[in-house]
Amino acid sequence: MPSVEPQMTLAYYRRLFPWKSLYHWLNHQIPPTRLWTHREFAFTLQGDAYLRWNSFKDADDLKREVCRLNPSRFEVGAIYSGRPRDKKTIRPNLFVPNLRELVFDIDMDEYNEVRTCCSGKQVCKRCWGFIASAVDVLDQVLREQFGYTHILWVYSGRRGIHCWVSDQAALALSNESRWALVEYLELVRGGAQSEKRVHTRYKNGLGAMHPMLSEALSTLQGGFSDLVLEDQDCFRSTEGWNKLLRLLPQDDDIIATLREKWEEQDSIGEPSSSIDKWEDMRREIKKISKDSTRKKFLSIAVEEIVLQYTYPRIDSNVSKTRNHLLKSPFCLHPSTGNVCVPVDPARIHEFDPTNVPNIEQLLRELDQLIKEDGTEHHSDWERTSLAPYVRLMDQHVAGLMKEVRTANRAAALKGTDF
Amino acid sequence: MFNRSTKKEKEKDKEKDGLVATHSPLAYPHRLNFYEEAPGHNITLEQFEMWAIDRLRVLAEIEAARVRNVPDGIKNIVNAQCEKYLMLHPNSDAASVELDTERRKDHVSHFVLRLAFCRSEELRQKFVKAETDLFKVRFLGEGTKDRAAFLASKSFGPSGQPISDDDKRLLKNQLMAATSSIKTDTDFESETFYRVHWTKVTDLVASRRVFIRGGYAYVPSASQSSIVLQAFQSRLTAALEMTARALPSLDEDDRLLPIINHFSQGFLAGIAGEHHGGGENSYGETVTKDMIDDMAKKHFPMCMRNIHNALRRDRQMKHQGRLQYTLFLKVLGLPIEEAILFWRESYANDQKTQDKFNKEYKYNIRHSYGLEGKRANYPARDCRSIITGNPPGANESHGCPFRHFSTSNLQSALSALYGVPSLSQDMSDILNAVEAKQYHVACTRVFELTHDNQGMAEGESVSHPNRYAARSRELEREKLARIQDKTKALTLTESDGAPSEDVSMLAGV
């Protein structure tokens, strides 16, 4: 049973959805360009039918169609060589995706094996810590290493986050480059059936870690103890600490020592906390002489455990190809009714997924406004709790539009030269 | 003889002068070739076909080596194959060998195969990968002088600026950590780093072998070949797309099309020049949904049993697993109606799941059977694509257990599902093969163990889950037939059936 009724989404699209912001964000300037007219939109209708290959003249055109069809959500796709709505009349091999924001999707599902507070579809402020750590790392890598500046983070409405990179260079990336970038980033590999999922060293030797990984590690290390040890208490249970031991070098004596100690604690029904266990392990490692190979391997294993629990786990298929669709910012999540709002990466740790603008609350606020004014307006978002999020989006868009304007002006000057 | 060897002009009428370099007496001054100009000479139809087949043999071996994932293996395989089919001698052998002849063969065969492989995205990708591997081995094996001469002739332009000594000193730690070939300070001192945009060296980026800052990769001169290889790859990809677009309008003549079709089909099936017709299900026997549980135990390779068991256990399956299994069952001979019933029953019987099934999964199943969307006849995934495709994430069950399970899980699964004793020689054989990344060898060993030491036919190894299942069923059938023959022999001591066929044949003469 959907918790969001069709008339609620319709009221939302009519009166609250920030169409202009969305348009400017995707189009980069005021007059419609191919970035808009050749862009694919896909609708999920209330009966779950899925309509692909829509494209629109301008923002009003999109709004009109959305209000007519009243989809439960809609997705934004790539910019094609032709208008997606004309797809059937264009020769298939001439209809190809040309440009596309670089997108990432991080979903709590991937963290189910490491989080202890919630399971399944639930999410709380506590397990959001995993997502927040992932955003810290990914945002930093994209900005510092790949040099992107126009990065938008959007809450996915339930238990994940999306990232959209709109730099010109990112739009133009080939599938090949996207694939390489994802490979560069991906670290936690292997499915449910593999245990040790992180390897950081070349040929599993003793060499140095790639600078990207050591930077990520130093970003994550601070939060690890708060998140994994204290808050999630991942190693308290027998299952939890067994998993920890399986991540250490399997031929090392330290495992037997620790196992003995922790089994004893379990047997008397007093399992120690994760912080204590982590400390037990550190103490054992400290005992080993400094420059031995054994110690080096153990230290590497400890680093890799931190990464296995907190390094970003992205859904790589979303990022690897240009034609992948992703839910539009400011859509409603069909089962929670939460608005997919932009999030400031600098304040990601303060974000609370259980406290975002929700359709029911927004409509109540609107009713209140009508009572006060006696009339109904369009684009009423400015006077609801959606406002700060739309402003965040507009700020982001302003930076993007400014850059395009400067580039256009430079091109125009060049054009007058000859 | 001569009247058969029809003269054929190549697709583009480029004249030879494009190829003749002014400073060398050879038409092909370099052994390496970027294949930028189409060949412009006349060749016979036989040459057209034979040369291409020879090249195809080399490429097919490269493909196979990729699946087997043997370290350094590709190099040895390419060299061995090239010696047989596509030898290119260095310039220093000019006195004893006709360099131009073999280089022309290399050139022409490449372009013939372009025609064969340009027509679908899948074919293009395979071709580009194999050709790039071939070029890579040749490029790295080329003498320093010849390589430099080749590169000079290609006018690559400046492939990035060397970084200043100050920058180098500033970034020393990061640069050393990112470059595994540099171990000591002296190595570092003598190395020059170039600053190039990261999209120019995607393979170095993908394998995290280069330091990246502000969108630029800092490439050590030792890895510069990566830039050349990438240029080769991206140019070839672009050229193939061009050819694909031009092909329909080329008014192709019907002498070439059948040959070309034949090449690409053979390559897709994994064996050069050998045409694979219809599916594996050639027994004329349909499989029903009720047979699957039983067949899974007797005939399925581990990847499919793993999916099957996960489906029975969880009563749900993620998309990739559904896709891998649906296609497998399709080729096994499960008709569409049975497939829908099978999947519907496999899912949890609550309203929500069943609704989702009707809306979404049913469409996917029909799509796999070529009944929806673009109605393509999708082949079942072979081991190569299962092994190299998307690895399974948490909660997913597709993929190859030998590749994607941890050793301990693999071991317990082998004992539980196939009865391989944990501490046996067989188990350690299998795990050693896995360790050496020879997943198909491990899988073949499991097959032999569970089939009275009979292997796949003709010493082959497992290359396709459906071939595994088909061979397993074939062996069972043979076994049954033997038992029946024995019982027949016991009941019917003498056959009274006259050799009627022989008689009628004689009568016909």
Side-chain angles (χ1 to χ4, degrees):
Chain A
M1 205 189 76
S3 68
V4 182
E5 302 290 328
Q7 68 268 26
M8 291 161 82
T9 49
L10 188 60
Y12 176 75
Y13 290 137
R14 282 210 179 123
R15 303 182 47 202
L16 288 168
F17 195 100
W19 296 105
K20 259 220 169 78
S21 308
L22 181 77
Y23 169 76
H24 287 150
W25 172 59
L26 292 174
N27 191 53
H28 299 195
Q29 42 189 315
I30 293 170
T33 64
R34 284 179 165 225
L35 289 180
W36 179 269
T37 59
H38 288 38
R39 164 94 64 176
E40 183 190 359
F41 290 87
F43 300 128
T44 307
L45 302 187
Q46 303 284 353
D48 268 4
Y50 192 52
L51 289 187
R52 284 197 66 178
W53 311 118
N54 302 285
S55 59
F56 300 95
K57 285 205 304 272
D58 49 37
D60 285 342
D61 198 15
L62 171 67
K63 180 179 178 183
R64 209 174 302 125
E65 188 70 354
V66 169
C67 292
R68 187 177 75 83
L69 294 169
N70 190 18
S72 62
R73 60 170 188 265
F74 62 92
E75 295 178 310
V76 177
I79 297 119
Y80 286 82
S81 49
R83 268 184 259 274
R85 61 160 73 156
D86 299 337
K87 178 174 185 281
K88 288 210 169 98
T89 61
I90 307 174
R91 276 233 321 265
N93 54 1
L94 296 181
F95 184 77
V96 287
N98 281 341
L99 299 171
R100 166 65 167 161
E101 284 81 6
L102 176 63
V103 291
F104 296 94
D105 179 10
I106 304 176
D107 195 291
M108 195 54 93
D109 274 358
E110 291 292 322
Y111 292 87
N112 279 342
E113 55 145 351
V114 291
R115 63 175 178 158
T116 57
C117 54
C118 303
S119 64
K121 289 171 178 168
Q122 291 165 316
V123 66
C124 67
K125 176 92 175 72
R126 287 172 58 204
C127 48
W128 184 258
F130 285 111
I131 303 281
S133 302
V135 171
D136 283 343
V137 171
L138 195 53
D139 195 69
Q140 194 181 356
V141 171
L142 290 174
R143 283 177 207 277
E144 290 179 7
Q145 300 181 26
F146 290 93
Y148 297 130
T149 49
H150 302 290
I151 302 172
L152 183 71
W153 291 94
V154 184
Y155 173 52
S156 75
R158 183 150 68 186
R159 57 204 155 131
I161 199 159
H162 296 159
C163 171
W164 300 74
V165 186
S166 303
D167 292 66
Q168 300 301 314
L171 281 169
L173 288 176
S174 64
N175 282 348
E176 173 88 35
S177 302
R178 283 167 210 259
W179 170 83
L181 195 151
V182 169
E183 286 288 307
Y184 178 78
L185 287 172
E186 259 201 324
L187 182 67
V188 185
R189 288 171 198 267
Q193 295 289 346
S194 50
E195 278 139 11
K196 182 145 178 65
R197 297 175 64 187
V198 166
H199 297 278
T200 54
R201 300 309 204 271
Y202 178 68
K203 288 188 172 167
N204 292 333
L206 286 169
M209 206 177 343
H210 189 277
M212 187 272 282
L213 296 177
S214 42
E215 278 169 37
L217 183 66
S218 62
T219 310
L220 294 168
Q221 226 147 15
F224 176 78
S225 130
D226 281 351
L227 177 66
V228 175
L229 302 181
E230 206 155 336
D231 193 312
Q232 297 285 329
D233 208 357
C234 287
F235 311 129
R236 183 182 284 273
S237 68
T238 317
E239 196 196 335
W241 62 254
N242 265 308
K243 200 163 165 184
L244 173 65
L245 291 186
R246 283 198 294 271
L247 298 177
L248 292 170
Q250 288 304 296
D251 48 357
D252 204 288
D253 298 337
I254 193 174
I255 292 179
T257 320
L258 293 172
R259 181 185 299 279
E260 201 180 327
K261 178 163 188 189
W262 296 345
E263 261 171 1
E264 200 184 301
Q265 291 171 349
D266 283 0
S267 69
I268 55 167
E270 283 175 15
S272 58
S273 70
S274 302
I275 296 185
D276 290 343
K277 290 202 171 90
W278 192 256
E279 202 41 53
D280 288 344
M281 185 180 80
R282 297 271 293 251
R283 206 177 314 117
E284 288 301 322
I285 295 176
K286 236 178 216 161
K287 285 183 196 163
I288 304 165
S289 71
K290 221 175 177 187
D291 289 323
S292 65
T293 340
R294 186 179 161 209
K295 179 153 191 166
K296 281 184 192 146
F297 273 117
L298 279 166
S299 313
I300 290 175
V302 172
E303 288 172 358
E304 292 180 343
I305 291 167
V306 173
L307 291 169
Q308 174 151 342
Y309 278 81
T310 52
Y311 187 86
R313 301 179 174 198
I314 55 176
D315 179 347
S316 56
N317 292 327
V318 175
S319 316
K320 278 180 181 171
T321 53
R322 279 177 293 205
N323 53 0
H324 210 288
L325 293 139
L326 200 62
K327 189 161 54 172
S328 165
F330 292 106
C331 270
L332 297 171
H333 191 286
S335 48
T336 60
N338 288 338
V339 181
C340 304
V341 288
V343 186
D344 181 356
R347 302 174 61 186
I348 189 76
H349 288 272
E350 298 159 34
F351 183 79
D352 182 354
T354 56
N355 185 23
V356 294
N358 183 286
I359 179 66
E360 287 182 33
Q361 165 208 346
L362 289 172
L363 291 180
R364 266 199 307 276
E365 290 175 24
L366 271 191
D367 285 346
Q368 196 59 38
L369 284 179
I370 295 172
K371 271 185 210 146
E372 283 167 16
D373 302 4
T375 65
E376 202 173 298
H377 299 283
H378 284 232
S379 298
D380 280 335
W381 57 262
E382 283 182 57
R383 294 157 66 194
T384 66
S385 51
L386 198 58
Y389 298 97
V390 179
R391 266 182 224 120
L392 185 65
M393 177 79 159
D394 285 344
Q395 248 170 42
H396 173 78
V397 173
L400 188 58
M401 289 177 82
K402 188 174 168 208
E403 187 182 282
V404 171
R405 212 161 39 233
T406 322
N408 281 351
R409 219 169 271 155
L413 278 178
K414 222 176 184 182
T416 51
D417 272 359
F418 61 84
Chain B
M1 268 308 179
F2 276 104
N3 52 1
R4 281 209 57 226
S5 48
T6 329
K7 298 273 180 184
K8 167 67 193 163
E9 282 190 316
K10 287 289 306 157
E11 45 154 335
K12 284 177 194 167
D13 271 328
K14 286 254 160 75
E15 278 311 310
K16 234 181 170 178
D17 17 314
L19 296 164
V20 181
T22 41
H23 56 274
S24 166
L26 289 168
Y28 294 90
H30 308 291
R31 176 154 76 142
L32 295 167
N33 194 336
F34 244 56
Y35 309 110
E36 284 170 306
E37 301 279 335
H41 18 252
N42 294 335
I43 55 163
T44 68
L45 252 190
E46 275 165 58
Q47 282 171 329
F48 182 88
E49 184 165 6
M50 290 314 297
W51 288 356
I53 287 179
D54 281 349
R55 189 180 197 90
L56 205 51
R57 288 201 167 106
V58 179
L59 299 187
E61 281 299 326
I62 293 175
E63 269 274 307
R66 207 178 246 289
V67 183
R68 292 202 292 274
N69 207 353
V70 235
D72 302 326
I74 290 186
K75 183 177 158 205
N76 297 336
I77 285 162
V78 168
N79 286 338
Q81 289 293 316
C82 282
E83 205 166 318
K84 267 191 262 172
Y85 302 114
L86 209 60
M87 193 60 195
L88 290 180
H89 288 88
N91 283 353
S92 51
D93 288 352
S96 54
V97 196
E98 274 212 53
L99 295 179
D100 267 346
T101 318
E102 55 184 32
R103 288 175 189 181
R104 183 161 68 206
K105 176 177 169 183
D106 176 62
H107 189 200
V108 169
S109 60
H110 171 88
F111 273 91
V112 174
L113 292 190
R114 268 194 195 189
L115 291 177
F117 289 103
C118 67
R119 284 169 309 162
S120 80
E121 183 63 34
E122 189 191 2
L123 283 171
R124 285 198 291 268
Q125 275 180 10
K126 274 173 192 275
F127 182 66
V128 170
K129 263 194 188 146
E131 278 285 342
T132 311
D133 278 342
L134 177 62
F135 182 82
K136 182 176 176 183
V137 172
R138 286 176 169 172
F139 181 78
L140 296 178
E142 186 68 307
T144 336
K145 208 178 113 202
D146 284 352
R147 193 192 317 180
F150 169 71
L151 288 180
S153 77
K154 281 293 141 209
S155 66
F156 264 110
S159 50
Q161 293 294 318
I163 61 170
S164 69
D165 285 346
D166 287 344
D167 283 350
K168 191 174 152 186
R169 221 171 302 121
L170 221 59
L171 295 170
K172 182 177 173 191
N173 288 339
Q174 286 102 316
L175 289 174
M176 279 185 78
T179 322
S180 58
S181 60
I182 299 176
K183 293 200 178 60
T184 63
D185 283 358
T186 25
D187 282 354
F188 181 74
E189 291 307 321
S190 59
E191 186 62 273
T192 316
F193 288 86
Y194 296 84
R195 193 167 168 271
V196 294
H197 198 261
W198 71 271
T199 51
K200 294 262 187 300
V201 284
T202 48
D203 60 326
L204 293 180
V205 173
S207 52
R208 238 182 263 136
R209 276 183 294 158
V210 69
F211 173 68
I212 303 181
R213 181 91 333 161
Y216 286 88
Y218 291 72
V219 185
S221 61
S223 301
Q224 278 246 307
S225 59
S226 153
I227 298 172
V228 177
L229 292 176
Q230 180 133 14
F232 178 85
Q233 190 170 359
S234 52
R235 284 181 202 193
L236 181 54
T237 310
L240 280 177
E241 274 164 19
M242 288 264 283
T243 319
R245 249 171 268 167
L247 198 60
S249 55
L250 266 176
D251 196 19
E252 251 303 314
D253 106 23
D254 48 348
R255 282 172 305 178
L256 300 183
L257 267 181
I259 303 178
I260 290 172
N261 282 337
H262 185 77
F263 289 152
S264 54
Q265 278 160 355
F267 196 59
L268 266 187
I271 298 140
E274 203 175 291
H275 190 119
H276 266 259
E280 257 78 10
N281 177 34
S282 46
Y283 303 112
E285 170 195 332
T286 50
V287 175
T288 62
K289 66 177 168 49
D290 301 320
M291 295 160 66
I292 294 175
D293 274 319
D294 187 45
M295 285 179 73
K297 280 194 202 96
K298 283 200 277 188
H299 303 301
F300 285 10
M302 198 160 174
C303 48
M304 298 303 166
R305 272 193 81 174
N306 178 42
I307 295 181
H308 186 80
N309 290 352
L311 180 65
R312 287 286 182 252
R313 185 185 63 229
D314 304 337
R315 311 209 61 179
Q316 59 168 336
M317 175 67 38
K318 294 273 181 179
H319 175 75
Q320 290 293 335
R322 275 201 317 268
L323 194 61
Q324 185 176 330
Y325 200 38
T326 308
L327 291 172
F328 171 79
L329 293 176
K330 177 180 90 167
V331 175
L332 195 71
L334 189 72
I336 176 69
E337 303 81 21
E338 288 287 324
I340 289 174
L341 285 176
F342 169 78
W343 283 100
R344 191 195 296 284
E345 287 174 13
S346 303
Y347 272 87
N349 199 18
D350 56 89
Q351 196 55 43
K352 198 175 150 217
T353 320
Q354 291 296 331
D355 280 354
K356 199 164 164 89
F357 182 89
N358 284 333
K359 269 178 204 151
E360 194 179 313
Y361 306 154
K362 196 168 152 190
Y363 178 92
N364 290 150
I365 297 167
R366 289 176 51 81
H367 194 270
S368 297
Y369 274 76
L371 298 167
E372 300 282 0
K374 66 172 173 180
R375 295 176 175 256
N377 180 19
Y378 297 100
R381 288 191 180 162
D382 59 0
C383 293
R384 176 181 46 234
S385 53
I386 291 173
I387 290 170
T388 58
N390 280 322
N395 318 326
E396 289 186 313
S397 306
H398 65 273
C400 169
F402 299 101
R403 170 74 180 81
H404 298 120
F405 276 24
S406 71
T407 314
S408 58
N409 280 327
L410 177 63
Q411 205 168 348
S412 52
L414 280 168
S415 323
L417 301 178
Y418 292 90
V420 185
S422 329
L423 290 171
S424 60
Q425 182 60 39
D426 293 327
M427 180 64 87
S428 66
D429 282 354
I430 294 171
L431 296 179
N432 284 340
V434 171
E435 182 81 3
K437 301 193 170 170
Q438 305 208 324
Y439 311 113
H440 65 300
V441 173
C443 191
T444 311
R445 189 75 196 117
V446 173
F447 184 92
E448 289 164 357
L449 287 173
T450 45
H451 293 84
D452 307 329
N453 269 324
Q454 298 192 72
M456 304 294 288
E458 291 149 25
E460 265 182 56
S461 51
V462 178
S463 59
H464 196 298
N466 281 104
R467 238 163 267 160
Y468 182 113
R471 175 72 178 153
S472 173
R473 296 177 75 193
E474 190 182 307
L475 287 175
E476 187 190 42
R477 211 166 280 121
E478 279 173 15
K479 208 166 160 186
L480 278 176
R482 268 202 305 280
I483 296 168
Q484 269 169 8
D485 279 354
K486 265 186 207 155
T487 41
K488 231 185 221 162
L490 286 174
T491 46
L492 298 173
T493 36
E494 241 168 60
S495 162
D496 56 350
S500 55
E501 232 174 46
D502 286 1
V503 174
S504 62
M505 269 174 71
L506 282 172
V509 174

